[in-house]
Amino acid sequence: MKRLLCVILICALLTGCSWFEQSADVDFWCMDTYMNVKIWGGPADSAAQEIQDMMNALHTTWSAANEQSLLGKLNVGMEVELTEEEATILDRAEALSLRTNGAFNPKMRAVSRAWGFYNLAYRVPEQAEIDAALAQEQWDLGAAMKGYAGQKAAALLEAMKVDRAILSLGGNIQTFGDKPDGSAWQIAIQNPYGEDALGIISVYGTKSVITSGSYQRFFEANGQRYHHILDPETGYPADSGLISVTVIGTDGMTCDALSTALFVMGLEEGSDFWRQSDDFEAVFVTEDGRIYATEGVSLSGCEFEVIR
Ligand code: ADP
Ligand code: MG
């Protein structure tokens, strides 16, 4: 018996005490996407449940497709009393739009709708319809809310004193805490043309790693491919020569908005934007399969050029 206990203890030490700590691994569907939450240490099960509840609440408030949501009400001109958190989110969305010179535009719901990206009724709208939709300036925070949700989840995990966690929120990754052996979190950049990874990004601690890709949602018509990241200047799918942009940083909402904005800007303008910033790193993948990473990214498993 003593010997058995000894073996168990040694195994537990070798595996970072994972035999004794609580852990949770939960899948659910929220914000129109598949989500997975893995948590180790502390009250893992109840933390996973609280995160799920929090995501659902955010979806109820911020879904642009739902007429009863906060955005649904704002979009029909209703007077709504905002909570402090809601006012902050809307202010931050406006600020990110200014910062990116409009490449991130949180008021393009009518344009996405014209292309059928809302109800999967895909179609190519007439230019006049696109122009009218752009002028409507209807709120849609689809390009920033999953990032915000990840950052809010990290704050919740901190408050609940769990050890570490990794969340996959429909292509967005949020890490929390450090691994017990001191190694990095390894996050794959999806290969748009296959199931494998294009490369592996390593990060430490609590980070948001957020990807916008033209392969995530698209349709084909008249032999052309139309995807869901729209250029606010034209109202057409952004044609910047990129296939995906991954942004890494500590502020989830910023990273999410920037992944969309950098996709619209393209490699050159996006690289200049990075040079003028100090709060994120980025990986760009071009349509011809080249990979470019800003200086601060730890990337492995692929050839790439460094942006300085
Ligand atoms: P996803 O949400 O698919 O992971 P993004 O974060 O890039 O990808 O967000 C794309 C969504 O944001 C679109 O489905 C649309 O609702 C909205 N959107 C499209 N183009 C823009 C843009 N230029 N700025 C802000 N939001 C956009
Ligand atoms: Mg985004």
Side-chain angles (χ1 to χ4, degrees):
M1 186 64 186
K2 245 186 191 165
R3 211 155 152 199
L4 181 65
L5 278 176
C6 222
V7 171
I8 290 176
L9 190 65
I10 289 168
C11 289
L13 286 172
L14 286 176
T15 55
C17 292
S18 58
W19 284 21
F20 294 126
E21 71 184 7
Q22 211 192 69
S23 67
D25 185 346
V26 181
D27 294 316
F28 56 97
W29 181 263
C30 184
M31 299 185 178
D32 303 320
T33 189
Y34 161 82
M35 297 189 168
N36 173 264
V37 174
K38 290 185 178 59
I39 304 174
W40 294 269
D45 284 327
S46 42
Q49 186 58 53
E50 285 208 22
I51 286 177
Q52 204 172 326
D53 294 346
M54 185 265 284
M55 298 282 173
N56 285 327
L58 284 175
H59 179 68
T60 303
T61 306
W62 297 100
S63 163
N66 174 3
E67 287 168 15
Q68 300 306 314
S69 76
L70 170 62
L71 292 190
K73 290 176 184 163
L74 291 177
N75 282 339
V76 292
M78 266 173 75
E79 283 279 328
V80 186
E81 203 168 316
L82 300 174
T83 65
E84 205 179 308
E85 183 189 25
E86 289 163 358
T88 305
I89 289 174
L90 293 176
D91 285 349
R92 293 199 57 210
E94 302 262 28
L96 285 159
S97 182
L98 267 180
R99 178 180 168 189
T100 58
N101 206 8
F104 167 76
N105 180 337
K107 294 190 177 170
M108 294 222 293
R109 177 181 186 266
V111 190
S112 285
R113 199 186 157 83
W115 286 93
F117 285 117
Y118 265 93
N119 42 2
L120 307 187
Y122 300 134
R123 54 194 275 277
V124 181
E126 301 283 333
Q127 189 62 51
E129 193 183 344
I130 292 177
D131 293 343
L134 278 168
Q136 282 189 41
E137 300 199 341
Q138 288 186 343
W139 283 102
D140 166 16
L141 289 180
M145 275 322 284
K146 282 190 300 225
Y148 177 79
Q151 129 189 25
K152 195 172 177 186
L156 194 148
L157 292 165
E158 170 104 62
M160 291 185 81
K161 297 193 173 14
V162 312
D163 288 344
R164 61 195 185 282
I166 185 159
L167 282 61
S168 170
L169 315 172
N172 293 356
I173 304 292
Q174 175 71 47
T175 62
F176 172 77
D178 277 310
K179 295 219 243 164
D181 62 359
S183 64
W185 296 105
Q186 310 246 300
I187 295 152
I189 303 177
Q190 196 187 326
N191 180 353
Y193 303 112
E195 292 292 293
D196 56 331
L198 268 189
I200 305 287
I201 296 173
S202 299
V203 297
Y204 291 92
T206 301
K207 296 274 159 46
S208 303
V209 183
I210 295 188
T211 301
S212 284
S214 55
Y215 57 89
Q216 287 168 334
R217 209 176 321 153
F218 64 86
F219 67 95
E220 273 163 29
N222 327 315
Q224 250 209 283
R225 205 180 237 232
Y226 298 95
H227 63 79
H228 72 307
I229 303 171
L230 303 171
D231 183 340
E233 275 191 7
T234 62
Y236 262 71
D239 185 14
S240 62
L242 295 175
I243 259 189
S244 77
V245 178
T246 301
V247 173
I248 305 142
T250 52
D251 188 277
M253 183 175 178
T254 300
C255 292
D256 200 355
L258 292 186
S259 73
T260 309
L262 295 180
F263 188 99
V264 171
M265 289 179 197
L267 178 62
E268 262 183 50
E269 202 185 322
S271 301
D272 281 341
F273 185 86
W274 169 77
R275 290 184 189 103
Q276 290 153 22
S277 308
D278 61 0
D279 57 347
F280 72 93
E281 301 291 337
V283 179
F284 300 82
V285 183
T286 62
E287 276 170 347
D288 55 6
R290 289 171 200 272
I291 304 173
Y292 298 80
T294 58
E295 228 173 354
V297 180
S298 170
L299 182 61
S300 59
C302 59
E303 282 188 19
F304 63 94
E305 244 177 74
V306 180
I307 299 169
R308 297 175 203 281

